[in-house]
Each structure stands twice: as structure tokens, then as C-alpha cells.
Amino acid sequence: MATVSEHGLKRVVWQRIKETIIEDCKKSEIWKILILDHFTTKLLSSCCKMSDLMQEGITIVEDLYKSREPVLEMKAIYFMTPTAKCVDAFIGDFKLKPKYKAAYVYFTDYCSDELFNKMKLYCGKYIRVCKELNISFLPQESQVFTCDNPGAFRSIYSPHCSQDKVNTLETLAAQIVTLCATLDENPGVRYKKETMLENTTLDNAKQLAALVDYKLTKHYDMDDNGKKKGKTQAQLLIIERGFDPVTPILHELTYQAMAYDLVPIKNDTYKYKSKDGSEKEALLNEDDQLWARLRHMHIAEVSEQIPKLVKEISANKKQPDGKITISGLSQLMKKMPHFRKQIAQKTVHLNLTEDCMNHFQKNVEKLCKAEQDLAVGSDVEGVKVKDPMRTLLPVLLHPHGTYDKIRAVLLYIFSLNGTTEENLNKLIQHVKIEEDREFILNWRELGVPIISLPSFFPMRRSSRRDRTQEETYSLSRWTPVIKDVMEDAVENKLETKEWPHQSECPAAWNGSGAVSARQKHKASSQDERRSGSRLIIFVIGGISYSEMRSAYQVTQSVKSCEVIIGSSHIVTPMELLDDIQALSKPTTTKETFTIVKE
């Protein structure tokens, strides 16, 4: 089984937590309680298990916001975000009557003087340690991070949230800086040039790049060693969701993207029924080696791979060959207890693959050809699509679900760079979303043209890399635009006009690993770095699973440059459409919290 130490970003984060929080714990023989808020619970869950904490002397993990019984003989570790809400909950544990012998306080990020002084005033005599870890991002996968903030999409793009937008960009910038600090990188910062649409300039990437660069400079000026850190062999690109509206709404046929689109997977947990009718659930993460191995494969390959892997096990026990079924696997498990764990893992993926294929055969297959033709602009033979409406019409006439029809209509509009108001109204009537036209119209808030305007200077579409020689499946011809960006960045082919520099990268950085030995900084012990450099990409407004896959594919093909991708959150097509529709709705009430008594 995979352990935390094997998973890139997750390994680095766990190592950092061990070097600070855990090392401080070891100085005392007393077993300790660990108290977490909602964010730090997710953070720790993403990079370690309860057994890892037990090994380090932590016996109990508690929720900061829940009512807890006092344990006066134990010391408590508080790992929390530096917010008024968390600090007030912490003070509540000590102000009137202390719950614990002492408190070791660790903040994910910079704690303001105001909050620090408030803690000191009420709980000063109980605080033994107070440190800032500089980790306010979530390591979702070995090369993927998020800021755990789906609400950022609305704050940045909704016309009702202009004040929230400034605060959200500030927060995202601070989180990106903690990612760079955790990786010991001080990257050169670039951003995708702002877009103009209907006399409106969308410059969120430019604003965020300026904030990140300012905060990076400030962070490294305050280095613990008293030294100013120069730029490292890394580049950070900041880009907005509207740069590629196609990728996040296409029906994808690679395993991970397809599963999260078609199957109800919540918090990375897949629930399914076994043959005996009992409810089962499985966590889809990198601790499941089979998932890590299969997730970026095309569903056709996955469907072939799993039965082969099962046959390898069954062959050891001279099981008869034949079609591998789920009921057959359960029989195998009874006969072969030694292989139970391996087979159970494969049963999960056999179930999930069957779920995906059932959806595919039911209606997705019919949608995919039209979607691919509209997205790519040509059919499987390479013949240009001259009349996109002829491609769209069969989808509209077929009894597909409303969301599927909306996705196809959007791809049609994107292929034309906007359509006429008259044509749009007809399409909206055809899909029967007269009351929900925001699913389509609100894409304008992302800088995506929906209504075409007469212009002397039509919008120039970005040229794509030629992939005609690459082998692809006929229903998976589209390549995410971000993969082009990654490859161009690595080959130093990004045009400065389209990708202005907020801060210069070192002259030697060309992404190919051919960097000056004199300039290249020494690898830190916490991160046994691959040789070469790092490309970090941050997408404002959510990333899709296909874009995450691109980071791994480019890293694999280049080898000397590691690509890390992140965003405020990860989106599925349905979630993105719901978020788009909600942009024009008035703002809801603000969050409050109460202590929950168990």
C-alpha cells in the first residue's frame, strides 16, 4: 500500500507538519490532544492517517467547535486558521475555566497582531508555543492543490460581489504564497493578458499576479535566516477560467474525469452496492495504488486492464479463465483469503467502471461525437465542420437530459465565438430553459462571448498546437488548452505579449531542465527534488479533472520539469453550470457558528 511519503505535495506538507508540530510534541512525554478546525481537519486528512498521528504521540483528535469535556492533565495542540472565529473558540476553552493543562498553538498562516494580542490577553499563561506554519492550501493530489474555496468563483465573477472580490483575491494570493513557501520556491510570476468583452476589461489574473508577487517579496524579505531569497528555478502562471470554457463542460472519457462527471462521488467517496445488496463505499485517493495507476487512462483501456489484473491473481490459484464478473470476484475472495485485499480493491474499480460504461452506452456515446466535432471544429476524418447547427441538431432532437443539452448548446456557441440574439432565443426555447437562461448568458461574466457583436476587429482565437500525429480515440480528440500552455511554458514559447511578466523569471529558466548549475538552488531535505525546475499554474475559478490530468502528462513527457496545478476548487461540469447560473442571484446571508453539544 502507498504511504504518505510517496505522494508529492502531500508528502511535503506532512513533512512540514512533522518538523514543526510533531517535533514540538516529542519534547514532552505527555500524550496530547489535537484540536482542529474545519480547514485543518481537511488538511491533515489529505496528507496523513490517524495511525500516523498515533505513532507521533497524539491519541485524541477533536473538533474546535464542538463542546468538549475538560482533560486537565493533558496538553492540547491547536492547529487552526488565523480567523476571529477560530481564536474566539480557542479563548472559550481557557477564559473562564481551562480545559487543558497547556496549549500549543499553530496557525496555518500569518496571525494578525489584533488576534494575537486578544489570545495573549485572555489565555497568555496557558500558551506554551505559538507558531505560523505557512500552509493554507490543500494538497489534493501529488501534483494538485486547491484553496478549498468554491465560493471564490461567485465572489470574483458575480456582479453582486464587487467588495468580496477584493478580499477573495487577497486571500487566494496569500494561499498561493504559502504553497510557494512550502515548496521553497520564489517563482517568476506571469499572467494571461486581460480580455475585453462588451467594453468591460476582465483583469483578475493581472490583479492576482500583482498581489502574489508583492506578498512573495514580503515573505522572502522576512526570511528566518535574515537573507533575501532570490528567484528560484520556478515559474508561476495565473490564468482565468474563461480562457478555456470548452474543457470543463465536455463529456470526458478518461477514468477519473468520467467517473466524477457521471457517478455521484462526494468528498472522493464512491458508494456502491455489492452483489449481496449491502452498501459499500471506497475512498478514491492516491493510497489506492490501482486508482493512481488507472485514473488518467481512457475508459476503454481501464475496462481491459481490470479483468487482466484479476486474472493475474486468479491464475495463481488456477482459477478458470472467462468473463470476470463482480459475483465471480466475491466467490474468489471466499476461496482466497490471502488475496482478499487485492481483490476488494479491484472489485471497487470493476463496479465503478461498470457504472461509467452503463452511462456511456445509455446516452453519453451519442453525445460525444457531436461534442468532439463542435469542440475540435472538425470530424473524426479531419473534415472541417462547416455548419455547426447540423452537428448540434441531433442532440437537441434526442431526449437527452436538460444539462446535457445545455452543454451541447454551449459548445455550439463557443465554436462560433458567440451567436446572434435571435438564434440564442431559439436555442433556449428548444432546450426549454426560458426561466434558466442564466446557464448560458452568465458565461459573459467570465469574459466568454455569448452574443456575437458586429465588429471591425473580430476576436482572434488562440492558435492550438498541432496534435494530428498523436494517437487518440475518436471520441476523445479534444486536448485541454492548458496542456498547450504547459508545453509552451516548458519550451519557453509563451509570447510575452499574451503572457506579461509580473516579475522576471531567472534568465536560465527555460523549463527544459537546462538551467545554470550556478543559479540552481540546493534541494531541501524536506523535499528530495527532481532535477530540473517547477511550473506552477493557478486557474482562477476552478479546475477540471482533465486539466489536472494534463499536469501529470506533461511532467511525465518532459521529466525534467514538474508541473503543479491548482485553483480555488475542483469543478465537475454540473457543478460549474450551477455556479454559472447562480452568478446573477443576489448574495445570501453570511455564515455564523455555534458550539455543538454532543
Side-chain angles (χ1 to χ4, degrees):
M1 189 180 123
T3 62
V4 286
S5 63
E6 294 176 61
H7 305 322
L9 268 180
K10 296 186 174 197
R11 167 175 59 86
V12 176
V13 169
W14 173 236
Q15 200 63 36
R16 179 107 173 92
I17 290 168
K18 277 175 75 174
E19 286 171 2
T20 47
I21 299 177
I22 305 298
E23 282 306 310
D24 284 349
C25 288
K26 284 183 175 172
K27 290 170 189 171
S28 166
E29 293 301 312
I30 304 171
W31 287 71
K32 294 185 178 66
I33 295 172
L34 178 62
I35 298 165
L36 306 170
D37 65 18
H38 301 324
F39 176 78
T40 51
T41 300
K42 284 185 185 178
L43 177 59
L44 267 181
S45 302
S46 73
C47 63
C48 73
K49 299 186 189 70
M50 190 62 206
S51 56
D52 296 314
L53 295 173
M54 291 280 284
Q55 280 177 7
E56 306 295 348
I58 293 164
T59 46
I60 306 164
V61 179
E62 294 273 24
D63 184 332
L64 178 63
Y65 301 122
K66 285 190 177 170
S67 179
R68 286 165 270 112
E69 288 298 314
V71 191
L72 292 170
E73 68 278 11
M74 289 186 86
K75 295 177 182 177
I77 301 162
Y78 287 81
F79 184 27
M80 57 193 183
T81 43
T83 61
K85 182 177 165 181
C86 287
V87 169
D88 286 347
F90 167 72
I91 289 170
D93 283 355
F94 292 91
K95 190 176 177 182
L96 298 174
K97 197 176 176 185
K99 279 194 164 90
Y100 309 105
K101 186 175 182 179
Y104 290 68
V105 182
Y106 298 88
F107 288 114
T108 54
D109 199 0
Y110 171 74
C111 178
S112 69
D113 290 346
E114 184 191 351
L115 290 177
F116 180 74
N117 290 332
K118 193 176 178 182
M119 280 170 48
K120 201 170 156 186
L121 177 66
Y122 293 110
C123 320
K125 64 178 180 181
Y126 298 107
I127 298 171
R128 297 287 176 271
V129 169
C130 188
K131 289 183 181 178
E132 295 156 349
L133 260 73
N134 267 325
I135 305 174
S136 57
F137 64 92
L138 281 186
Q140 295 286 153
E141 292 183 2
S142 55
Q143 288 174 232
V144 180
F145 72 96
T146 72
C147 298
D148 190 39
N149 188 359
F153 183 82
R154 178 179 173 77
S155 299
I156 292 169
Y157 292 111
S158 171
H160 299 286
C161 301
S162 54
Q163 187 50 48
D164 285 356
K165 174 177 160 177
V166 176
N167 298 333
T168 301
L169 289 173
E170 280 273 358
T171 304
L172 292 176
Q175 290 176 289
I176 294 167
V177 169
T178 70
L179 169 89
C180 297
T182 303
L183 293 172
D184 195 26
E185 296 285 16
N186 184 9
V189 182
R190 298 177 76 174
Y191 60 91
K192 182 76 171 79
K193 192 183 171 197
E194 59 269 31
T195 54
M196 284 281 292
L197 186 67
E198 297 174 23
N199 301 320
T200 305
T201 304
L202 211 65
D203 64 348
N204 298 309
K206 184 180 182 179
Q207 288 183 53
L208 185 58
L211 285 166
V212 170
D213 193 50
Y214 170 74
K215 289 176 187 288
L216 270 172
T217 305
K218 201 172 166 187
H219 174 79
Y220 284 118
D221 275 350
M222 294 164 60
D223 195 6
D224 293 341
N225 304 324
K227 291 179 184 175
K228 187 172 179 178
K229 188 182 180 76
K231 292 291 180 186
T232 57
Q233 300 308 320
Q235 194 168 178
L236 167 65
L237 304 181
I238 297 175
I239 196 165
E240 296 208 47
R241 181 61 273 161
F243 85 102
D244 176 11
V246 172
T247 296
I249 61 163
L250 268 179
H251 277 94
E252 254 277 357
L253 299 182
T254 48
Y255 190 33
Q256 183 183 38
M258 188 181 189
Y260 277 80
D261 182 9
L262 303 178
V263 179
I265 296 167
K266 296 288 176 200
N267 300 320
D268 300 324
T269 303
Y270 166 55
K271 293 184 178 179
Y272 63 99
K273 277 192 175 175
S274 62
K275 284 298 171 187
D276 62 7
S278 62
E279 287 278 343
K280 300 266 187 183
E281 59 178 55
L283 198 57
L284 302 174
N285 64 21
E286 289 168 319
D287 286 334
D288 178 346
Q289 288 181 321
L290 190 54
W291 170 251
R293 180 174 161 185
L294 299 172
R295 64 186 165 177
H296 300 142
M297 287 185 186
H298 193 278
I299 194 68
E301 293 165 13
V302 176
S303 300
E304 286 175 13
Q305 282 284 323
I306 296 171
K308 277 183 188 170
L309 293 167
V310 177
K311 279 180 183 176
E312 282 172 23
I313 296 172
S314 58
N316 293 335
K317 291 286 175 186
K318 296 185 172 62
Q319 291 296 315
D321 276 355
K323 190 169 185 272
I324 301 295
T325 62
I326 293 162
S327 55
L329 276 180
S330 58
Q331 291 300 314
L332 203 56
M333 284 168 76
K334 286 172 190 169
K335 293 176 190 172
M336 301 159 61
H338 178 64
F339 292 105
R340 188 165 291 166
K341 192 174 178 183
Q342 285 175 281
I343 296 170
Q345 205 180 54
K346 290 166 180 66
T347 308
V348 169
H349 294 290
L350 201 58
N351 271 282
L352 185 52
T353 308
E354 278 191 13
D355 268 359
C356 288
M357 287 308 292
N358 288 341
H359 283 284
F360 176 73
Q361 286 155 1
K362 193 175 169 186
N363 65 347
V364 173
E365 189 173 8
K366 293 183 183 76
L367 288 163
C368 280
K369 184 188 182 305
E371 286 185 0
Q372 290 292 316
D373 290 357
L374 289 168
V376 177
S378 57
D379 65 15
V380 72
E381 305 296 330
V383 178
K384 189 179 176 184
V385 174
K386 289 178 183 171
D387 183 2
M389 183 53 82
R390 286 184 67 177
T391 307
L392 175 65
L393 212 53
V395 176
L396 298 181
L397 296 173
H398 191 277
H400 290 296
T402 304
Y403 274 94
D404 287 336
K405 288 186 178 182
I406 291 170
R407 287 163 77 169
V409 166
L410 283 166
L411 289 169
Y412 164 79
I413 294 168
F414 300 157
S415 74
L416 297 170
N417 250 340
T419 185
T420 64
E421 199 150 356
E422 184 189 358
N423 195 24
L424 180 62
N425 288 331
K426 285 179 185 172
L427 290 169
I428 285 170
Q429 284 168 15
H430 212 109
V431 184
K432 295 178 182 161
I433 55 164
E434 289 90 340
E435 301 301 310
D436 295 307
R437 53 181 60 223
E438 293 84 10
F439 277 120
I440 293 171
L441 292 177
N442 283 354
W443 283 86
R444 293 179 301 191
E445 304 295 346
L446 278 67
V448 179
I450 296 298
I451 308 275
S452 53
L453 296 170
S455 171
F456 294 110
F457 304 102
M459 276 188 75
R460 186 169 66 86
R461 301 188 78 164
S462 302
S463 57
R464 298 297 311 269
R465 286 176 79 102
D466 179 17
R467 299 187 186 274
T468 49
Q469 302 309 308
E470 293 181 13
E471 278 190 39
T472 56
Y473 287 86
S474 63
L475 299 182
S476 299
R477 287 171 284 133
W478 172 260
T479 301
V481 177
I482 210 159
K483 191 175 182 188
D484 289 5
V485 172
M486 291 169 181
E487 290 173 344
D488 285 348
V490 163
E491 293 168 18
N492 206 21
K493 288 180 181 174
L494 289 180
E495 290 180 30
T496 307
K497 193 177 172 186
E498 288 299 310
W499 292 87
H501 291 263
Q502 181 64 41
S503 63
E504 290 295 325
C505 305
W509 201 96
N510 64 6
S512 63
V515 291
S516 156
R518 191 184 62 213
Q519 285 191 344
K520 189 173 169 186
H521 73 290
K522 195 180 172 186
S524 62
S525 60
Q526 71 179 36
D527 178 14
E528 296 150 16
R529 290 164 56 99
R530 60 199 295 127
S531 61
S533 43
R534 270 202 185 99
L535 175 65
I536 304 165
I537 296 189
F538 187 84
V539 182
I540 300 172
I543 42 171
S544 66
Y545 287 96
S546 349
E547 289 164 333
M548 287 160 54
R549 184 184 72 247
S550 298
Y552 293 91
Q553 289 173 333
V554 174
T555 302
Q556 195 57 38
S557 62
V558 176
K559 291 192 170 57
S560 58
C561 179
E562 181 181 36
V563 182
I564 288 172
I565 189 168
S567 182
S568 48
H569 61 306
I570 298 167
V571 291
T572 63
M574 302 267 272
E575 288 165 351
L576 181 59
L577 288 176
D578 287 342
D579 287 345
I580 292 277
Q581 191 215 10
L583 287 178
S584 47
K585 291 178 183 173
T587 308
T588 50
T589 52
K590 289 192 175 177
E591 174 201 18
T592 58
F593 88 94
T594 50
I595 297 289
V596 180
K597 293 207 173 188
E598 291 187 311

